């Protein structure tokens, strides 16, 4: 069986199997004949105002043959959309996806369907990912049938073999999915994905619906199978512990964009994007003696319909960079940013200047140009002109920062291992080994593979 | 030691279904002292949520609390006595349904549910719902309750609370709704808050925000918490004392530091070993073998024996009741010295560490001389994974 | 989106449906065999007469041209002229529509007033005797032809007991002078109610039964909502939970059913008006069909469609009013 | 009362918590065998089956008697003055009837109508029309509605919009008015009544199927099939249709009852089966003229309709309970 399943791919170990370049995926908020049509109070009383959600915005990365690329991010950050777009289950809005060198975005429906033999997917919900009216055997055989693999008997034999491989009893061939527990269903999912002998499997939160003890069973099985069948995984999860366990390299997404990508050890030990740092800081460790978290990320994720300019994380970033025209010390700058965000969120009700000064600036208003702006804003607030104060502060501080005016994309030196480390944060402007902003190719980075010509993520 | 705030003794809750009786909670006992956070941890099906609704007597049909005694500040929330016909009947001291409703629920014990999206009524404003509960549970006028509601919203970090007061739940994000539910619980000024997996549905950063908030507010108001969760990391972070549940029973009960550094029960140990960690790279995970048996037909003897790596023949026969195997601060042979040091730091060194496992001397049922058991857990990689829920279908 | 804009938006959406209704009825009316001119002029009319009539009603022109003309007519409020009565269709409708509306509204009022308590009690006392009674009533309600209920009511209450009149209807705003046996406004109102009672029950029973069923299942769902559990956990009395927390959410599916029930009820009105010999829209369309008076057929059908569409829009807006998620949803 | 135990639809999944809640319970019960077993267990559904089975048997009997035996059996049992005595006589011996001329073995159990015809016989014959129209109209609605709903739901976009506006338009015209107009245009006979009522049922099935398709399309197993490279056609045939079956079956059962009601209404107005074909609605229509002298004349056909439709309604309710995936014992 192993022989039969041996990789038929023409990509060598460690070479990029999947190359994603400048991928974009937008969703229209309104669709249909009258979708997006809105009634207005002015002539002609009807207007079309389509909006779209920028679910994935300009993402580039490679997945090397035989590796597990972990993709982590919070709900709504676009990781699932990205996964589905990579497999072209969702049509991409822009960008290219090369699978073994072939651009998937240019394939026709039938060509794409045939290609699916080599790339499979495992879903999050073990409940709904198996058709409740189909027995397990036919479920596992379905992909083989779709790709005309083997004859009826051969398929059954292979299905039984696979069930055993993933840790189920082949006798269960004739059972309905409901007879299985969550973990076992996820194993059926694995068997189905493996049935057509794929090279690449996208795993969309495959263990997040499972209990801890079951989670470990499934993760171990997935690892064993990867070794045995020479699989490449794109592994999506929101749980950093799971990502740390299973991945070789890790990509972090925030609001539709990739903010950091590095080897696992590098990413966890030397996180270089403030968002990654915040994420790592937020997860509790199963250790009562571990120190508490240092700072909690405040506020909610902005809407992907109208994301912030420049770096999308800047509205919550604790390390927003000071614009050049101001010259205050770092602590004061952080106070100013904090105050600006507090005003934006209307987090306080007092309009008393003295009290605000005490609460946000240790009783000491900064001087200089920044001080003037602050003074004016405090003036607005004492008049209860919240909107004016907010606009003034946002325009003068938040939007003057390089974080708001330029999209970041940098490569920095790895401190752990010799892999590449991509971090989309302007803090690395000075020290970055290469700027990714001119996209495409850059060869100044050492890598295991000499032939590695294509770039790591870049915009 | 002072009287506990809440004391649960031998609580049993059962569900009477067509397929048989499900013993969802089967004789658990634990205490909650003033101002402490007590964890109730276990995997799905352990009976954690049923245990908490039993405390408030909110178990719905076909479920019923069938035995045990629950006392709260000297009042009997649930208690049985022998009736004239020999059948157990509610004891005289047990609070009536009206008393539970008017004096306990909300006023004294408040609850936060797991799913913030479903817990708020979609057709009423957030503020209105908050105000209603405050009015009901504290003697405040509508006007005062409204002010209190707004203050509470601000307290839990809802920006611009005056305006958000009049908004509907769907206009709030998941994290914000959970904050509203926390505000609701705190605003009624109860002595005990039951938090039923309050952060499970939330993202990590939001979970972090909420945990931080709860720690802060708990310090400020001194409210006691029962924190129900399946996540050991959350337990480690927030709880003072922990009860580990497996199949309707509490199998280990200890101060949080003892639980992690002087783990006694094989299940707790297995649970900890099976978790990947965010703070270090674990190359090989040791999963717990098999799946949790169904509560309708639990294994004989120790309920964990079918999955226990240390199971012996005696485990199939003897059903262990939790026993004290170590006083909080006592350093056991297999406990590292640093545990003892940490114990000394905790304020309450007297609370016992109880475990329900016959391998400890306290049980003295001949574990050492018993034959090791061939179980799923001792079998190979795929063994046991096949022997599960599916059986019901045949 | 504000409620006002939402309403305007719903009205815009309804326009294609109205055009569709006209298209369907125009097509059907065109298919009707037999020559309306023949009906008017007898079997052997003079050629000139025929041509004059045809020219008058535009029958000499091709169908698509007539359709366009008709459509523009409708847009300007002209529904054509009844061939049989030789009166403007709109005038006929204005005469008859109020009768049907009074009947419809009272039937719906009866249905809603009885169904909601029945459904709520049924849900609250699930599997208790009250629930069984309510479920049997609603089962029989949805299974009985409305016209048969009418016949039985007439036999029992009009013929045998003599409590209510068996036929006809008095409009509540009719001039006392025109109503036999009524000298004052109060007398008219009393007679109107008296006449309305049996037809109202005949027409309203089906709606009542349907609303009871949906009210029950919707309340059952709502009573199991997490928010109801929360309210219980905060010590809210059970009566408040039923009356407030569970009730309002549960009305949303009910409103939808009421909206959809309009179409059935309008159809039922045709039968009820026949049984009770009430001169409303239902009788008008039957007469029109029997006389092959296709301008009148089209006009009345169109008005039925308009009545339905207006009803649906009203229920939609009511829904949006009750459920904040609808109007604020897309912000 | 039998209604008691139908109500198991909402026992919550207690005793389980956490992310893997109630695994193996929801959607647990599938397959035809299970459904049948469940229906059999349900008292209400069983009564529904008995009623519907009985009415169907009567309808079959009436059809055989009508098409093959030319009213013989009915007339042998129940005297009908309009029948041809020769036919009766011709068929008597094999059935061993004692009476020689005309007189049936039973007196008129429910009396005779205005023309002296036996009401009971005519009621029996009425089942034929009711059931034929009920089933045919439902089939038309089912096929039409499924096609439109499936296409609409699967493709979405402007196709969906156009089809949905069109069915909404059909729905906006009251059923009865639409069918009457339809029959006036094409002919006042039973075939067009069936087609007309069938058309009014299309929006109902369309709405149901479309919502099913739209929600199933979002299920992970459909996406899994797409990701595996299964062809669209096979996805529809092997996943979407089997998973939409249950609610459609329930609706179809209820719709037979609704169709019978509509056709009765049509016949009452004179648009259904034409005399002398016996139909319940038309009998009611005639009975209106005799309400004072013979009130029971109006009662029997109405009861026949009521019992038949109740049968279909409780069968539908029972099926719904049996097929409800939320059922959780």
């Amino acid at each position: 069986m192993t022989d039969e399943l041996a990789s038929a791919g023409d990509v060598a170990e460690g070479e990029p199997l999947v190359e994603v370049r400048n991928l974009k995926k937008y969703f229209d908020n309104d669709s249909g004949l009258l979708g997006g049509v809105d009634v207005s109070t002015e002539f002609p009383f009807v207007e079309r105002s389509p909006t779209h959600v920028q679910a994935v915005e300009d993402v580039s990365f490679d997945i090397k043959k035989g590796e597990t690329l972990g993709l982590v991010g919070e709900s709504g950050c676009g990781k699932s959309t990205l996964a589905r777009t990579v497999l072209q289950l969702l049509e991409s809005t822009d960008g290219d996806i090369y699978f073994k060198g072939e651009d998937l975005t240019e394939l026709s429906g039938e060509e794409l369907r045939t290609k699916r033999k080599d790339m499979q997917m495992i879903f999050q919900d073990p409940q709904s990912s198996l058709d409740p009216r189909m027995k397990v055997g036919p479920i596992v055989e379905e992909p083989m049938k779709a790709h005309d693999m083997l004859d009826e008997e051969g398929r059954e034999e292979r299905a039984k073999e696979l069930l055993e491989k993933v840790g189920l009893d082949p006798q269960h061939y004739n059972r309905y999915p409901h007879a299985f527990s969550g973990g076992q269903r996820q194993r059926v999912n694995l068997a189905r994905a493996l049935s057509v002998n794929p090279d690449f499997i996208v795993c969309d939160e495959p263990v997040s619906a499972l209990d801890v003890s079951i989670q470990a069973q499934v993760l171990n099985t997935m690892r064993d199978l990867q070794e045995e069948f020479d699989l490449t995984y794109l592994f999506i999860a929101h749980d950093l512990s799971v990502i740390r366990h299973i991945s070789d390299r890790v990509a972090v997404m925030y609001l539709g964009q990739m903010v950091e990508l590095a080897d696992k050890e590098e990413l966890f030990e030397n996180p270089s994007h403030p968002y990654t740092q915040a994420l790592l800081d937020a997860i509790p460790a199963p250790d009562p003696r571990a120190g508490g978290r240092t700072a909690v990320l405040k506020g909610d994720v902005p809407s992907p319909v109208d994301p912030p300019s420049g770096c999308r994380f800047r509205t919550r970033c604790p390390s927003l960079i000071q614009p050049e025209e101001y010259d205050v010390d770092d602590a004061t700058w952080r106070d100013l940013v904090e105050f600006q965000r507090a005003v934006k969120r209307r987090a306080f009700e007092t309009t008393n200047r003295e009290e605000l000064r005490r609460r946000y600036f240790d009783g000491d208003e900064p001087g200089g140009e920044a001080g003037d702006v602050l003074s004016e804003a405090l003036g607005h607030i004492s008049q209860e002109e919240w909107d004016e104060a907010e606009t003034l502060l946002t325009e003068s501080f938040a939007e003057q920062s390089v974080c708001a005016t330029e999209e970041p994309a940098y490569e920095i030196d790895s401190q752990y291992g010799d892999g590449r480390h991509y971090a989309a944060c302007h803090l690395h402007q000075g020290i970055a080994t290469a700027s990714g902003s001119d996209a495409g190719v850059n060869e100044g980075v050492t890598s295991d593979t000499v032939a590695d010509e294509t770039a790591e993520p870049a915009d | 030691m002072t009287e506990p705030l809440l004391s649960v003794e031998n609580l049993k809750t059962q569900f009477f279904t067509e397929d048989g009786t499900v013993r969802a909670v089967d004789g658990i006992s634990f205490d909650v002292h003033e101002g402490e956070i007590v964890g109730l941890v276990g995997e799905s099906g352990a009976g954690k949520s049923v245990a908490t609704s039993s405390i408030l007597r909110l178990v719905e049909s076909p479920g019923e609390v069938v035995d045990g005694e629950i006392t709260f500040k000297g009042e009997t929330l649930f208690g049985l006595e022998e009736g004239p016909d020999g059948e157990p009947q509610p004891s005289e001291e047990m609070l009536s349904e009206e008393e539970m409703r008017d004096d306990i629920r909300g006023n004294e014990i408040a609850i936060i549910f797991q799913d913030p999206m479903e817990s708020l009524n979609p057709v009423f404003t957030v503020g209105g719902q908050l105000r209603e509960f405050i009015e009901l549970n504290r003697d405040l006028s509508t006007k005062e309750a409204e002010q209190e509601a707004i203050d509470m919203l601000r307290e839990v970090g809802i920006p611009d609370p005056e305006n958000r007061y009049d908004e509907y739940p769907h206009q709030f994000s998941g994290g914000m709704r959970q904050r509203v539910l926390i505000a609701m619980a705190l605003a009624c000024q109860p002595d005990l808050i039951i938090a039923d997996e309050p952060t499970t549905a939330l993202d990590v950063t939001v979970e972090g925000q909420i945990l931080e908030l709860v720690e802060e507010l708990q310090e400020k108001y001194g409210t006691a918490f029962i924190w129900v969760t399946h996540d050991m990391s959350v337990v480690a972070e927030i709880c003072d004392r922990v009860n580990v549940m497996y199949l309707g029973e509490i199998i280990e009960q200890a101060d949080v530091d003892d639980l992690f550094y002087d783990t006694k029960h094989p299940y707790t140990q297995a649970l900890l070993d099976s978790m990947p960690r965010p703070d270090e790279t674990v190359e090989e995970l040791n999963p717990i073998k098999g799946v949790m048996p169904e509560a309708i037909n639990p294994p004989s003897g120790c309920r964990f024996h079918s999955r226990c790596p240390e199971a012996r023949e005696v485990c199939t026969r003897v059903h262990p009741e939790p026993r004290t195997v170590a006083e909080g601060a006592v350093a056991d042979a297999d406990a590292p010295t640093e545990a003892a040091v940490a114990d000394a730091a905790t304020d309450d060194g007297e609370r016992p560490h109880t475990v329900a496992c016959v391998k400890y001397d306290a049980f003295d049922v001949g574990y050492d001389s018993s034959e090791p058991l061939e179980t799923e857990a001792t079998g190979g990689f795929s063994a046991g994974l096949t022997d599960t829920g599916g059986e019901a279908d045949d | 989106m504000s409620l006002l804009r939402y309403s305007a938006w719903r009205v815009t959406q309804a326009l294609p449906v109205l055009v569709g209704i006209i298209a369907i009825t125009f097509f059907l009316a065109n298919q009707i065999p037999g020559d309306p001119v023949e009906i008017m002029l007898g079997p052997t009319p003079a050629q000139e007469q025929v041509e004059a009539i045809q020219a008058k009603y535009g029958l000499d022109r091709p169908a698509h041209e007539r359709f366009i003309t008709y459509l523009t007519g409708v847009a300007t409020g002209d529904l054509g002229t009844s061939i049989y009565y030789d009166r403007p269709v709109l005038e006929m409708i204005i005469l008859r529509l109020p009768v049907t509306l009074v009947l419809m509204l009272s039937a719906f009022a009866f249905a809603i007033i009885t169904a909601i308590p029945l459904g709520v009690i049924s849900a609250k006392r699930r599997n208790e005797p009250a629930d069984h009674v309510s479920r049997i009533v609603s089962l029989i309600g949805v299974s009985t032809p409305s016209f048969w209920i009418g016949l039985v009511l007439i036999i029992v209450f009009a013929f045998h007991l003599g409590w209510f009149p068996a036929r006809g209807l008095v409009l509540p705003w009719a001039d006392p002078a025109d109503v036999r046996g009524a000298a004052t406004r109060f007398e008219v109102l009393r007679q109107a109610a008296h006449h309305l009672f049996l037809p109202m029950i005949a027409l309203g029973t089906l709606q009542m039964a349907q609303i009871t069923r949906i009210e029950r299942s919707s309340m059952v769902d709502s009573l199991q909502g997490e928010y109801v559990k929360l309210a219980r956990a905060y010590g809210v009395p059970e009566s408040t939970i039923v009356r407030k927390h569970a009730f309002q959410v549960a009305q949303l599916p009910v409103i939808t059913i009421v909206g959809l029930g309009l179409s059935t009820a309008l159809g039922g009105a045709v039968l009820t008006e026949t049984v009770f010999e009430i001169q409303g829209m239902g009788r008008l369309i039957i007469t029109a069909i029997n006389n092959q008076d296709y301008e009148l057929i089209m006009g009345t059908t169109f008005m039925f469609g308009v009545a339905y569409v207006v009803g649906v829009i009203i229920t939609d807006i009511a829904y949006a009013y009750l459920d904040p998620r609808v109007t604020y949803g897309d912000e | 009362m039998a209604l008691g135990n139908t109500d198991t639809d909402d026992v919550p999944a207690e005793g389980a918590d956490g992310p893997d809640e109630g695994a193996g319970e929801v959607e647990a019960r599938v397959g035809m065998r299970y459904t049948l077993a469940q229906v059999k267990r349900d008292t209400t559904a069983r009564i529904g089956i008995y009623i519907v089975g009985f009415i169907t048997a009567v309808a079959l009997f009436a059809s055989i008697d009508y098409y093959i035996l030319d009213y013989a059996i009915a007339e042998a049992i129940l005297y009908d003055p309009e029948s041809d005595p020769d036919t009766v006589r011709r068929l008597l011996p094999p059935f061993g009837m004692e009476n020689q001329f005309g007189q049936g073995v039973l007196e008129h159990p429910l009396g005779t109508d205005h023309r002296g015809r036996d009401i009971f016989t005519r009621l029996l014959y009425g089942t034929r029309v009711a059931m034929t129209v009920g089933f045919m109209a439902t089939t038309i609605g089912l096929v039409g509605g499924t096609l439109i709903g499936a296409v609409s739901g699967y493709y979405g976009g402007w196709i969906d919009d156009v089809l949905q506006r069109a069915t909404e338009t059909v729905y906006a015209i009251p059923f009865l008015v639409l069918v009457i107009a339809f029959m006036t245009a094409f002919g006042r006979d039973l075939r067009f009544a069936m087609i007309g009522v069938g058309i009014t049922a299309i929006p109902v099935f369309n709405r149901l199927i479309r919502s099913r398709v739209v929600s199933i399309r979002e299920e992970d197993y459909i996406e899994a099939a797409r990701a595996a490279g299964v062809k669209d056609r096979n996805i529809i045939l092997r996943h979407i249709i089997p998973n939409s079956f249950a609610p459609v079956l329930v609706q179809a059962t209820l719709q037979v009852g609704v169709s019978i009601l509509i056709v009765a209404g049509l016949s009452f107005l004179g648009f259904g089966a034409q005399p002398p074909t016996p139909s319940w609605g038309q009998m009611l229509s005639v009975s209106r003229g005799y309400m004072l002298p013979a009130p029971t004349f109006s009662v029997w056909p109405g009861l026949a309709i009521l019992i038949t439709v109740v049968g279909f309604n409780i069968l539908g309710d029972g099926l719904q309970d049996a097929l409800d995936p939320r059922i959780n014992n």
Side-chain angles (χ1 to χ4, degrees), chain A residues 73-76 79 164-170 172 175-176 178-181 183-184 187 210-221 223-224 238-242 244-245 264-265 268-269 275 278-280 282-301 316 344-349, chain B residues 42-45 147 151 154 158-162 173 175-176 202-212 215 230-234 236-237 256-257 260-261 271-272 274-292 307 338-343 381-382 384-391 393-394:
Chain A
E74 297 180 273
S75 51
K79 52 188 193 304
E164 197 163 2
K165 279 262 184 263
V166 297
L168 293 170
D169 188 341
H172 292 171
R175 285 196 182 175
Y176 283 103
H178 70 78
F180 294 86
S181 69
Q184 291 174 317
R187 292 171 187 276
L210 307 177
D211 268 324
V212 197
S213 61
I214 308 297
Q215 221 174 50
Q217 294 173 356
V218 174
L219 285 174
N220 279 352
T221 308
R223 270 204 162 177
D224 295 343
H238 65 269
D239 185 341
L240 284 154
S241 318
V242 171
R244 179 161 199 167
H245 175 68
K264 166 175 65 180
E265 217 52 37
F268 278 88
E269 297 301 330
Y275 177 65
L279 210 55
L280 286 174
I283 15 166
D287 180 354
R289 294 180 195 173
R293 53 181 62 80
T294 45
V296 172
L297 212 48
K298 291 203 176 113
D300 281 344
V301 184
R316 301 168 76 198
K344 199 176 172 84
R345 287 202 300 270
R346 307 279 191 277
F348 54 88
E349 58 174 337
Chain B
E43 298 181 274
S44 6
Q147 193 48 49
D151 290 345
R154 182 175 295 114
I158 306 268
D160 198 11
E162 281 90 354
S173 67
M176 285 295 159
L202 304 175
D203 272 320
V204 263
T205 55
V206 185
E207 178 179 77
Q209 291 172 359
I210 299 287
L211 291 179
E212 185 116 317
E215 280 180 327
H230 67 272
D231 189 340
M232 279 297 205
S233 310
V234 173
E237 166 144 2
V256 67
D257 200 83
F260 283 86
Y261 283 94
L271 206 56
L272 289 171
S274 68
M275 291 173 63
R277 299 189 55 140
D279 51 348
E280 56 192 73
T281 304
V282 183
E283 277 314 324
E284 211 43 59
L285 296 176
N286 294 310
I288 304 178
K289 300 289 162 47
V291 297
M292 191 177 291
R307 301 171 74 193
E338 47 178 333
V341 176
D343 272 328
F381 157 63
S382 66
L385 299 165
T386 56
D387 171 33
T388 49
E391 244 72 301
D393 197 47
D394 292 344

Side-chain angles (χ1 to χ4, degrees), chain A residues 328-337 360-361 364-367:
Chain A
V328 294
D329 60 63
D330 284 353
T332 314
W333 169 247
R334 272 198 293 279
D335 289 345
L336 283 169
V337 171
Y360 288 94
F361 301 96
D364 213 19
E365 268 182 50

Side-chain angles (χ1 to χ4, degrees), chain B residues 73-111:
Chain B
K73 293 214 283 193
E75 309 243 39
T76 307
L77 302 193
F78 184 84
L80 295 176
E81 62 186 18
E82 199 163 298
D85 50 356
E87 289 288 300
Q89 64 178 34
S91 66
E92 263 174 48
E93 299 85 51
M94 184 169 134
L95 297 185
S96 70
E97 185 57 31
E98 282 72 42
E99 286 168 321
M100 278 302 284
R101 197 180 66 208
D102 297 340
D103 304 334
I104 301 294
R105 295 183 194 139
N107 313 29
E108 295 284 3
I109 306 179
I111 198 160

Side-chain angles (χ1 to χ4, degrees), chain B residues 118-155:
Chain B
E118 303 288 328
S119 297
L120 293 169
N121 196 318
V123 300
F124 298 117
T125 61
V126 165
Q129 298 182 51
L130 193 48
R131 199 207 65 227
E132 186 190 357
F133 291 166
I134 296 175
E135 239 182 298
L136 206 64
N137 290 305
R138 290 172 58 184
D139 285 327
L140 293 181
S141 70
T142 305
K143 198 96 204 106
E144 286 165 333
E146 183 172 333
Q147 193 48 49
E148 178 68 26
I150 291 173
D151 290 345
M152 216 59 226
L153 286 175
R154 182 175 295 114
E155 177 95 34

Side-chain angles (χ1 to χ4, degrees), chain C residues 138-145 206 209, chain D residues 261 302 305-307 309-311 313:
Chain C
S138 57
L139 175 65
I140 292 175
V142 291
S143 310
T144 319
L206 176 65
Chain D
L261 284 180
I305 299 173
L306 172 62
I307 290 168
V309 181
V310 162
N313 276 332

Side-chain angles (χ1 to χ4, degrees), chain B residues 324-342:
Chain B
T324 305
V325 294
E327 289 302 322
V330 174
D332 197 86
D334 40 302
T337 41
E338 47 178 333
V341 176

Side-chain angles (χ1 to χ4, degrees), chain A residues 19-35:
Chain A
E19 297 158 79
V20 174
R21 292 291 169 269
N22 307 91
L23 191 67
K24 285 183 191 177
K25 174 66 193 171
Y26 294 172
F27 290 104
D28 283 333
N29 252 354
D30 317 283
S31 60
L33 210 54
L34 290 168

